[in-house]
Amino acid sequence: MTERYVLRLSCPNRPGIVAAVSTCLFEAGANILDAQQYDDEATQQFFARIEFDAAAETFNVDALRDRFAPIGARFGMDWNIRDMRQKRRVLLMASRQHHCLADLLYRLRGDELNMEVTAIVSNHPRESYEGLDFGAIPFHHVPVTPETKAAQEAKLQELVVATNTDIVVLARYMQILSADLAEKLAGRCINIHHSFLPGFKGAKPYHQAHAHGVKLIGATAHFVTPGLDEGPIIEQDVEPITHRDRPEDLVRKGRDIERRVLARALGWVLEDRVFIDGAKTVVFRD
Amino acid sequence: MTERYVLRLSCPNRPGIVAAVSTCLFEAGANILDAQQYDDEATQQFFARIEFDAAAETFNVDALRDRFAPIGARFGMDWNIRDMRQKRRVLLMASRQHHCLADLLYRLRGDELNMEVTAIVSNHPRESYEGLDFGAIPFHHVPVTPETKAAQEAKLQELVVATNTDIVVLARYMQILSADLAEKLAGRCINIHHSFLPGFKGAKPYHQAHAHGVKLIGATAHFVTPGLDEGPIIEQDVEPITHRDRPEDLVRKGRDIERRVLARALGWVLEDRVFIDGAKTVVFRD
Amino acid sequence: MTERYVLRLSCPNRPGIVAAVSTCLFEAGANILDAQQYDDEATQQFFARIEFDAAAETFNVDALRDRFAPIGARFGMDWNIRDMRQKRRVLLMASRQHHCLADLLYRLRGDELNMEVTAIVSNHPRESYEGLDFGAIPFHHVPVTPETKAAQEAKLQELVVATNTDIVVLARYMQILSADLAEKLAGRCINIHHSFLPGFKGAKPYHQAHAHGVKLIGATAHFVTPGLDEGPIIEQDVEPITHRDRPEDLVRKGRDIERRVLARALGWVLEDRVFIDGAKTVVFRD
Amino acid sequence: MTERYVLRLSCPNRPGIVAAVSTCLFEAGANILDAQQYDDEATQQFFARIEFDAAAETFNVDALRDRFAPIGARFGMDWNIRDMRQKRRVLLMASRQHHCLADLLYRLRGDELNMEVTAIVSNHPRESYEGLDFGAIPFHHVPVTPETKAAQEAKLQELVVATNTDIVVLARYMQILSADLAEKLAGRCINIHHSFLPGFKGAKPYHQAHAHGVKLIGATAHFVTPGLDEGPIIEQDVEPITHRDRPEDLVRKGRDIERRVLARALGWVLEDRVFIDGAKTVVFRD
């Protein structure tokens, strides 16, 4: 019986990284199954993702971590070794439009997304989600107005801490996070924006797209940063439209793009395939 | 033996247009093969494209035009009936990058584009296009500098008139037309821009795309208007890229998108499938 | 106030069809909004779909039907005029895999599909669909074994009749209909097959695709006919895969393709956009 | 100044491969830029592609090859280290349809394909390619009839040997190679088939596709094996079509798919990204 792990790391590039890492893995009894490495020559940053398995009876992942630590230190790595069965803890935020929320919950039940949902948070009450079965997942109605925004964000942050949440997903959550909260969640908060960024930032992107007469509409999953709809892009997709499509048709057609783009992006994050590289991402796709 | 024609028309919408048009066609001996009609409820404008055939021996297209004229007048139509064998006269403009030019010429020879090329105009000399066989098509080297731009555009316009050109294609012609020339060629000048507009207008769009870390790159064929990269969009397409792609890779991958987007857009224009509808287009795709 | 209708028709092609039809519509007070006509030169069959609106106060659709009947008779038309608010009655059949079922129900709630679901029928018990809210839709567990197949199909047919069902959708229903039932439901039963037909008919298409090493997987929505996975194709789509994908990955990735292909095909059928043309279909896409 | 190399290898999987390889590279002064490794758990075969650079003044690739040889031997590797500036020698075969040939030659001139074309071979005479500039590439007209096929193939093989050709590309070469020749060129002969295999093998695939009423058409680049249109698939792509497309439209639309699929597949082969893995391929895409 073997078990599967993933090592991910990034560090300034210099010769010897892969040699040191793979020798360490080999000596610990690991067998590499799938690996990708990439050196961004512009930022001089090196990225690697290594999937390996090892005999369940003899392999000790903590021993590997101990053995790996000096290598991580030597190369100045940001690194992590994870048992692939271990689930990330994810908090989902939604507003009135619930197609992305529903889709993620459906995929969760179908074992497509290796995560545990710690909470569903909305600025709309539970009744807005009729027909959606949240199972045992706690639901929090946290309304927000200009006056209460600071308090609401404080509450949200408490919840992230209290639930030990790793990743926050804005699943068509239509409120803009404050710069402060965006900073605090940096690198672990994903948004789905309903346009092909950088086109059509901000409100009502499908109406903007309609007014411009574009022939494709799209969606973008990205990390949240203080700049509106500006964080590093994880995934994008588009679909053709025609002159026959009214704004409401774009909204409807767009829902399909949004939900698959968000699901893909989140899936890759959960599988340790996504790295932030300055204003961009490195994604070792499956 | 039958021959094939296409009728295209646009006018303010009101009931009875199709009835009047199709009755007129029927009485003239036409048989409808393929037709599309569309009412833009926002602009209240009606658009139709009707392909029909008729017996070569008995059908007289000029007689049909005479018969149709009062209908056109009654509904305030912009209309046209064309023998589908008749070729449009097209002038191609290019700069140093010649992949779009080469592609259009190749398709021309393969009978993919129903046009006659009246001239190839470039701000670079003939030697820049080694390996490209222009056959009998006249080539004009019309260099342009800030000082000579007005004279160059005057020359260009003369050429359009002298060659009886219907459509001007900017096949990666890297000079911006003056507002004056853009006005003069309104509705019959097509540009290919190497980005998914409205993202990345202006210079070096692939470098802009690279800096933004987008996950798809695209190209846009549009009518030229005085606003830079802003005219009504005819066609757009995209392809996925990855973090591995440097700007030069995007340039290379983009060439394939540009040439197919331009060829598709031009083909549709040549087949009378494209209508300008305010700031947008109606495209009755094949 | 206006109301929206759709007229669809097919008949052997001959000159004068559009003239007769559009004149009739005009005289009845209809205003054409969107229309497509097509003559299949191979089968000599003519197809048309005409969307129109008319003033709610003065327009009488039954009067139009009476007025239209002689035209239908004269040209030997198969024709139909439908109020676009009127919902088709659809029966959904599913087996253990419920992603297509769940997706259709979700779209139904979101008003993406203009239908009323008359029943959900499965060869698996209700417990197989935990987490799926069927609302008020009757669920029928109709198990099937080789011995009971005839009885089960008889029951199914009764249900179709009793519920006044217009369209039957096999939403990943994994039983093959008998030739007899397929005949009885001809032209109103849609299946989603999880391959890009005609490749990989029959069982376990993703495993077949994996064994062949294809680089794209697909799904096909088609009308059911007695031949297995052979009826007229309504819609197909594909997605790229890689050598890294195991059969279970293809199954997972394929679910997304299946659900969007089925939803698109069904949506078009519900909007009267799909015609059977011999072994093929004519689809006037939106 | 650095120079760029690529190491590719495949061997039965066992722990320690990456450690041994990367340690060897590191000790030789190589700096890994981009690498992918994959273990096919079904065939137990391991594949790796490693791009690295090294200081031009101090690095000696032959010394690295000597150093690497024992590792190759120890793991039973099929391996190769190549200077990325080194061009592969490619022989192009064509028939009457020359869009793929023209496209490859155009890309060759634009430095998109890192190859030297050793010869163009056709069963049609030079006049068939009017408008195509072959530059200094030798052209061989080798007609083939059922009677002369053996002699023609012998001549072809001589040419492959005499020109020191690495890779043979059937760029819409419409003759079927004998099993004997297919064997001799195993692993280094690429064909473009104008369908989405395994659908529509053999002759006139677009006519087959039209008769089936499929909604997408495609093309497939694959290695040639004795079985007709059956070798390991390198790349596939598709495009949507409609009921309006006649077989000749599919032929025209298909040309675009064919040329980009073949160019992509050949480009990947030239960059050492493609491995044969039983009846399938492993492709480390860019």
Side-chain angles (χ1 to χ4, degrees):
Chain A
M1 250 272 304
T2 61
E3 267 154 27
R4 240 172 144 103
Y5 299 85
V6 62
L7 161 64
R8 53 173 279 156
L9 64 90
S10 64
C11 61
N13 193 28
R14 61 180 165 108
I17 300 171
V18 181
V21 168
S22 55
T23 301
C24 174
L25 287 176
F26 171 55
E27 290 171 359
N31 173 44
I32 294 176
L33 298 172
D34 188 359
Q36 299 188 66
Q37 294 98 35
Y38 169 68
D39 168 37
D40 184 338
E41 296 175 62
T43 61
Q44 304 261 42
Q45 198 71 7
F46 186 82
F47 303 88
R49 179 186 187 274
I50 301 177
E51 247 181 79
F52 60 90
D53 64 4
E57 314 80 46
T58 57
F59 179 76
N60 182 323
V61 67
D62 283 324
L64 172 61
R65 287 188 186 113
D66 289 346
R67 192 196 277 268
F68 195 87
I71 295 172
R74 171 149 49 106
F75 288 96
M77 285 177 188
D78 181 7
W79 66 275
N80 185 262
I81 296 171
R82 196 171 57 83
D83 182 327
M84 288 182 73
R85 292 163 311 179
Q86 182 200 322
K87 288 173 193 301
R88 283 313 190 341
R89 298 179 62 76
V90 177
L91 186 149
L92 303 177
M93 302 193 64
S95 290
R96 205 172 50 79
Q97 294 276 336
H98 51 55
H99 52 283
C100 284
L101 176 64
D103 186 66
L104 294 179
L105 292 175
Y106 186 78
R107 291 178 197 267
L108 173 69
R109 285 208 185 89
D111 276 330
E112 276 190 36
L113 292 170
N114 187 36
M115 65 180 181
E116 187 154 339
V117 176
T118 57
I120 297 167
V121 176
S122 174
N123 56 335
H124 291 259
R126 179 66 182 88
E127 304 86 82
S128 315
Y129 306 101
E130 230 185 301
L132 285 195
D133 183 352
F134 291 168
I137 304 169
F139 175 84
H140 302 266
H141 177 207
V142 186
V144 53
T145 63
E147 296 75 42
T148 62
K149 186 170 179 121
Q152 183 256 10
E153 290 203 340
K155 191 159 174 189
L156 187 59
Q157 252 182 272
E158 271 172 47
L159 205 55
V160 168
V161 173
T163 56
N164 209 7
T165 287
D166 298 308
I167 296 161
V168 173
V169 176
L170 308 187
R172 290 297 309 272
Y173 178 69
M174 301 305 285
Q175 303 293 321
I176 297 166
L177 300 193
S178 69
D180 179 58
L181 184 55
E183 290 284 10
K184 286 210 172 84
L185 296 176
R188 53 204 197 96
C189 182
I190 302 170
N191 183 44
I192 178 77
H193 182 71
H194 39 316
S195 86
F196 181 72
L197 290 173
F200 312 133
K201 290 180 190 176
K204 292 200 168 279
Y206 292 124
H207 290 75
Q208 294 183 51
H210 184 259
H212 265 77
V214 292
K215 299 298 186 187
L216 298 168
I217 53 167
T220 304
H222 64 96
F223 286 110
V224 172
T225 56
L228 178 61
D229 301 329
E230 291 224 319
I233 293 170
I234 304 168
E235 173 65 348
Q236 303 187 288
D237 205 350
V238 296
E239 275 191 22
I241 57 165
T242 78
H243 56 267
R244 290 186 166 89
D245 291 301
R246 292 155 303 173
E248 57 265 36
D249 298 314
L250 303 190
V251 167
R252 172 175 53 80
K253 292 185 173 182
R255 285 200 285 257
D256 271 32
I257 316 176
E258 293 162 35
R259 59 188 201 171
R260 75 170 178 261
V261 167
L262 178 58
R264 255 188 241 149
L266 178 58
W268 292 336
V269 167
L270 295 174
E271 293 176 353
D272 291 296
R273 297 180 179 280
V274 183
F275 298 76
I276 293 179
D277 178 22
K280 313 203 279 185
T281 62
V282 167
V283 180
F284 293 129
R285 297 183 59 148
D286 58 350
Chain B
M1 250 271 307
T2 61
E3 267 154 27
R4 237 173 147 104
Y5 299 85
V6 62
L7 161 64
R8 53 173 279 154
L9 64 90
S10 64
C11 62
N13 194 27
R14 61 179 165 111
I17 300 170
V18 180
V21 168
S22 55
T23 300
C24 174
L25 288 176
F26 170 56
E27 289 172 359
N31 172 44
I32 295 177
L33 299 171
D34 189 0
Q36 299 189 64
Q37 294 98 34
Y38 169 68
D39 167 37
D40 184 337
E41 296 176 63
T43 61
Q44 305 260 43
Q45 198 72 8
F46 185 82
F47 304 88
R49 177 187 188 274
I50 301 177
E51 246 181 80
F52 59 91
D53 63 5
E57 313 79 46
T58 57
F59 180 77
N60 182 323
V61 67
D62 283 324
L64 173 61
R65 287 187 186 112
D66 289 346
R67 190 195 279 269
F68 194 86
I71 296 173
R74 170 149 48 107
F75 289 96
M77 285 178 188
D78 182 7
W79 67 276
N80 185 261
I81 297 172
R82 197 171 55 82
D83 182 326
M84 288 183 74
R85 291 162 314 178
Q86 181 200 323
K87 289 174 193 299
R88 283 311 191 341
R89 298 178 62 77
V90 178
L91 185 150
L92 304 177
M93 303 194 64
S95 291
R96 206 172 49 79
Q97 295 277 336
H98 51 55
H99 51 283
C100 285
L101 176 63
D103 186 66
L104 294 180
L105 292 175
Y106 187 78
R107 292 178 197 266
L108 173 68
R109 284 209 186 88
D111 276 330
E112 279 188 37
L113 292 170
N114 187 37
M115 63 180 181
E116 187 155 339
V117 177
T118 56
I120 297 167
V121 176
S122 174
N123 56 335
H124 290 260
R126 178 67 182 88
E127 305 87 82
S128 315
Y129 306 101
E130 230 185 302
L132 283 195
D133 183 353
F134 290 166
I137 304 169
F139 174 85
H140 302 267
H141 177 206
V142 185
V144 53
T145 63
E147 297 75 40
T148 62
K149 186 167 180 125
Q152 183 257 6
E153 290 204 340
K155 191 160 175 187
L156 189 57
Q157 253 182 271
E158 271 173 46
L159 205 54
V160 168
V161 172
T163 56
N164 210 6
T165 287
D166 299 308
I167 296 161
V168 174
V169 176
L170 309 187
R172 292 296 310 271
Y173 179 68
M174 301 306 285
Q175 302 293 321
I176 297 167
L177 301 193
S178 69
D180 179 56
L181 184 55
E183 291 284 10
K184 287 210 173 83
L185 297 176
R188 54 204 198 97
C189 181
I190 302 170
N191 183 45
I192 178 77
H193 182 71
H194 39 315
S195 86
F196 181 71
L197 290 173
F200 311 134
K201 289 180 189 176
K204 291 199 168 281
Y206 292 125
H207 290 75
Q208 294 183 51
H210 184 258
H212 265 78
V214 292
K215 299 297 186 187
L216 298 167
I217 53 167
T220 303
H222 64 95
F223 286 109
V224 172
T225 56
L228 177 61
D229 300 329
E230 291 223 320
I233 293 169
I234 304 168
E235 172 66 348
Q236 304 187 287
D237 205 351
V238 297
E239 275 190 23
I241 57 165
T242 78
H243 56 267
R244 290 186 165 90
D245 290 302
R246 292 155 302 171
E248 57 264 37
D249 298 313
L250 302 190
V251 168
R252 173 175 51 81
K253 293 185 173 183
R255 285 199 286 255
D256 271 31
I257 316 176
E258 294 161 36
R259 59 187 200 172
R260 76 170 177 261
V261 167
L262 178 57
R264 255 189 242 150
L266 178 57
W268 292 335
V269 167
L270 295 174
E271 294 176 352
D272 290 296
R273 297 180 180 280
V274 183
F275 298 76
I276 293 181
D277 179 21
K280 314 203 279 185
T281 63
V282 167
V283 181
F284 294 129
R285 298 183 57 148
D286 60 350
Chain C
M1 250 267 311
T2 61
E3 266 153 30
R4 237 172 147 104
Y5 300 85
V6 62
L7 160 65
R8 51 172 282 153
L9 64 89
S10 65
C11 61
N13 193 27
R14 61 179 164 109
I17 301 170
V18 180
V21 168
S22 54
T23 301
C24 174
L25 287 175
F26 171 56
E27 290 171 0
N31 173 43
I32 295 177
L33 298 171
D34 188 0
Q36 299 189 65
Q37 294 98 35
Y38 169 69
D39 167 38
D40 183 338
E41 296 176 63
T43 61
Q44 304 259 44
Q45 198 73 9
F46 186 81
F47 303 89
R49 178 187 187 274
I50 301 177
E51 247 182 78
F52 59 91
D53 64 6
E57 314 79 46
T58 57
F59 180 76
N60 181 325
V61 68
D62 283 324
L64 173 60
R65 287 188 186 112
D66 289 346
R67 191 196 280 266
F68 195 86
I71 296 173
R74 170 149 49 107
F75 289 96
M77 285 179 188
D78 181 8
W79 67 275
N80 186 261
I81 297 172
R82 196 170 56 82
D83 183 326
M84 288 183 75
R85 291 162 313 177
Q86 181 200 324
K87 290 173 192 300
R88 285 308 192 342
R89 299 179 60 78
V90 178
L91 185 149
L92 304 177
M93 302 194 63
S95 291
R96 204 172 50 77
Q97 294 277 336
H98 51 55
H99 52 283
C100 284
L101 176 63
D103 185 66
L104 294 180
L105 292 175
Y106 186 78
R107 292 179 196 266
L108 174 67
R109 284 208 186 89
D111 277 329
E112 278 190 36
L113 292 170
N114 187 36
M115 64 181 181
E116 187 154 339
V117 176
T118 57
I120 296 168
V121 177
S122 174
N123 57 334
H124 290 261
R126 179 66 182 87
E127 305 86 84
S128 316
Y129 306 101
E130 231 184 302
L132 284 195
D133 183 353
F134 290 167
I137 304 168
F139 174 84
H140 301 267
H141 176 208
V142 186
V144 52
T145 63
E147 296 76 38
T148 62
K149 184 166 181 125
Q152 183 257 7
E153 290 203 342
K155 190 158 175 188
L156 188 57
Q157 253 181 269
E158 271 172 45
L159 205 55
V160 167
V161 173
T163 56
N164 209 7
T165 286
D166 298 308
I167 296 161
V168 174
V169 175
L170 309 186
R172 291 298 308 273
Y173 178 68
M174 301 306 285
Q175 302 292 321
I176 297 166
L177 300 194
S178 70
D180 179 56
L181 185 55
E183 291 284 10
K184 286 211 173 83
L185 297 175
R188 53 203 199 98
C189 181
I190 301 170
N191 183 44
I192 178 77
H193 182 71
H194 39 315
S195 85
F196 182 71
L197 290 173
F200 311 134
K201 289 180 189 177
K204 291 198 169 280
Y206 291 125
H207 290 76
Q208 294 182 53
H210 184 259
H212 264 77
V214 292
K215 298 298 186 188
L216 298 168
I217 53 167
T220 304
H222 63 95
F223 286 110
V224 171
T225 56
L228 178 60
D229 300 331
E230 291 224 318
I233 293 169
I234 303 168
E235 172 66 348
Q236 305 188 288
D237 205 351
V238 297
E239 275 191 22
I241 56 164
T242 77
H243 56 267
R244 290 186 165 91
D245 289 302
R246 292 154 304 170
E248 58 265 37
D249 298 314
L250 302 190
V251 168
R252 173 175 52 81
K253 292 185 173 185
R255 285 199 286 256
D256 271 30
I257 316 175
E258 294 161 35
R259 58 187 202 170
R260 76 170 176 260
V261 167
L262 178 56
R264 253 189 244 150
L266 178 57
W268 292 335
V269 167
L270 295 174
E271 293 176 355
D272 290 296
R273 297 179 180 280
V274 183
F275 298 76
I276 293 181
D277 179 22
K280 315 203 278 186
T281 63
V282 167
V283 180
F284 293 130
R285 297 183 58 150
D286 60 351
Chain D
M1 251 271 307
T2 60
E3 267 153 29
R4 236 171 147 105
Y5 299 85
V6 61
L7 161 65
R8 52 173 280 155
L9 64 90
S10 65
C11 61
N13 193 27
R14 61 180 165 107
I17 301 170
V18 181
V21 167
S22 54
T23 301
C24 174
L25 288 176
F26 171 56
E27 290 171 0
N31 172 45
I32 294 177
L33 298 172
D34 189 359
Q36 300 188 65
Q37 295 98 34
Y38 169 67
D39 168 37
D40 184 338
E41 296 175 63
T43 60
Q44 304 258 43
Q45 198 73 8
F46 186 83
F47 303 88
R49 178 186 187 275
I50 301 176
E51 247 181 78
F52 59 90
D53 65 2
E57 314 79 46
T58 56
F59 179 76
N60 182 326
V61 67
D62 283 323
L64 172 60
R65 287 187 186 111
D66 289 347
R67 191 197 277 268
F68 195 85
I71 296 173
R74 171 149 50 105
F75 288 97
M77 285 177 188
D78 181 9
W79 66 276
N80 186 262
I81 296 171
R82 195 171 57 83
D83 182 326
M84 288 183 74
R85 290 163 313 178
Q86 182 200 323
K87 290 173 192 300
R88 285 308 193 342
R89 298 178 63 77
V90 177
L91 186 149
L92 303 178
M93 301 193 66
S95 291
R96 205 172 50 79
Q97 295 277 336
H98 50 55
H99 51 283
C100 285
L101 175 65
D103 185 67
L104 294 180
L105 293 175
Y106 186 78
R107 292 178 196 267
L108 173 68
R109 283 206 187 90
D111 276 329
E112 278 189 35
L113 292 170
N114 187 37
M115 65 180 181
E116 187 154 339
V117 177
T118 57
I120 297 168
V121 177
S122 174
N123 55 334
H124 290 261
R126 179 64 182 90
E127 305 86 83
S128 316
Y129 306 101
E130 229 184 302
L132 284 195
D133 182 352
F134 291 168
I137 304 169
F139 174 83
H140 302 266
H141 176 208
V142 186
V144 52
T145 63
E147 297 75 42
T148 62
K149 184 166 181 127
Q152 182 257 10
E153 289 203 340
K155 191 160 173 189
L156 188 58
Q157 250 182 272
E158 271 172 47
L159 204 56
V160 168
V161 173
T163 56
N164 210 7
T165 286
D166 298 307
I167 296 161
V168 173
V169 176
L170 308 186
R172 291 297 309 271
Y173 179 68
M174 301 307 285
Q175 302 293 320
I176 296 166
L177 301 193
S178 70
D180 179 57
L181 184 56
E183 290 284 10
K184 286 209 172 85
L185 297 176
R188 56 205 196 94
C189 181
I190 301 170
N191 183 45
I192 178 75
H193 182 73
H194 40 315
S195 86
F196 181 71
L197 291 173
F200 312 133
K201 289 180 188 178
K204 291 199 167 283
Y206 291 125
H207 290 74
Q208 295 182 52
H210 184 259
H212 265 76
V214 292
K215 298 297 186 188
L216 298 168
I217 53 167
T220 303
H222 63 95
F223 286 110
V224 171
T225 56
L228 177 61
D229 300 329
E230 291 224 319
I233 293 169
I234 303 168
E235 173 66 348
Q236 304 187 288
D237 205 350
V238 296
E239 274 191 23
I241 56 166
T242 78
H243 56 268
R244 291 187 165 90
D245 291 301
R246 293 154 303 171
E248 57 265 37
D249 298 313
L250 303 190
V251 167
R252 172 176 52 83
K253 292 186 172 183
R255 285 200 285 257
D256 271 31
I257 316 175
E258 294 161 36
R259 59 187 201 171
R260 75 169 177 261
V261 167
L262 178 57
R264 255 188 243 150
L266 178 57
W268 292 336
V269 166
L270 295 174
E271 293 177 354
D272 290 296
R273 297 180 180 279
V274 183
F275 299 76
I276 293 180
D277 178 22
K280 313 203 280 186
T281 62
V282 167
V283 180
F284 293 129
R285 297 184 59 150
D286 59 350

